Structures are given as C-alpha cells and as structure tokens.
Amino acid sequence: MGRLPFWLLTRAAVVLALCGALFAMNGMLLGWADAYDVLIGITSPAEADPQWAAWPLSVVGWAAIPAFVGGTVGYLVTVQIQAHQSRDFDAVMDELRAMIQPPPGPGDGT
C-alpha cells in the first residue's frame, strides 16, 4: 500500500470522522440546512443558536477542511510530477560524461 492510501485509511479517517461527528451534532442542534450554511460560511456562527456548537463547526469549515483537501491534492500533484521527472542516475552520468568529452579532431572522424 502506498503512502497516501495508508495515510487516508489511518490518520485521515480520524480527522474526517471528527469533522463528520461535529457536523452531525450541529445538524441535530441547529438543523441540517443551518449546519451546512455555518460549515461553508454562508451563515455566521454568531447568528446560530447555540453558538458554542456553531463556532467549532465554522472553524472546521473555514480552516480544517480546506487544509485537508489542499494537502491531499498537493501530495498527489507532487507524486505525479516526481514520477514524470525521475531519471536513472547512470543515464544522467552518461549524458554528463558525453557532454564533457572534447570534440573529435579532423583526423579522428570517419
């Protein structure tokens, strides 16, 4: 198993479960539509009742979820770039050795 699938199954599952539990708690307290509006920033948590539950949901929607998604996408893009840029060390050294050889003289060629 690669690093990303392992991370998603072990560490990320905990973070997503906590975010889901927080959303579910707010859905039951505020109503599902209002909880969604607070999560994505349409409604201020100061306008919600109870505010003690809405503020953590707002912080999760404003900071934690974008950071999670951005980090995951950044990792995937980095892996793809590295996969397309990697070259064998011996091939690079052979290319460098060929570049530093002096050009053939007039009597050395065919």
Side-chain angles (χ1 to χ4, degrees):
M1 183 181 298
R3 288 174 43 186
L4 181 65
F6 178 77
W7 180 79
L8 286 172
L9 291 175
T10 57
R11 308 270 193 262
V14 174
V15 173
L16 291 176
L18 290 174
C19 291
L22 186 61
F23 180 74
M25 180 183 71
N26 276 278
M28 289 184 269
L29 292 172
L30 303 172
W32 297 103
D34 290 336
Y36 177 77
D37 288 345
V38 169
L39 178 70
I40 63 171
I42 293 174
T43 302
S44 170
E47 297 172 7
D49 186 40
Q51 289 184 9
W52 63 267
W55 279 104
L57 182 67
S58 177
V59 170
V60 164
W62 181 77
I65 292 175
F68 177 81
V69 171
T72 304
V73 170
Y75 175 79
L76 291 172
V77 168
T78 300
V79 167
Q80 287 300 311
I81 289 172
Q82 288 175 348
H84 292 289
Q85 287 184 343
S86 65
R87 293 175 60 188
D88 184 39
F89 179 75
D90 293 332
V92 172
M93 290 305 294
D94 290 342
E95 185 178 331
L96 289 173
R97 286 184 187 109
M99 290 173 63
I100 62 171
Q101 295 297 322
D108 295 339
T110 51

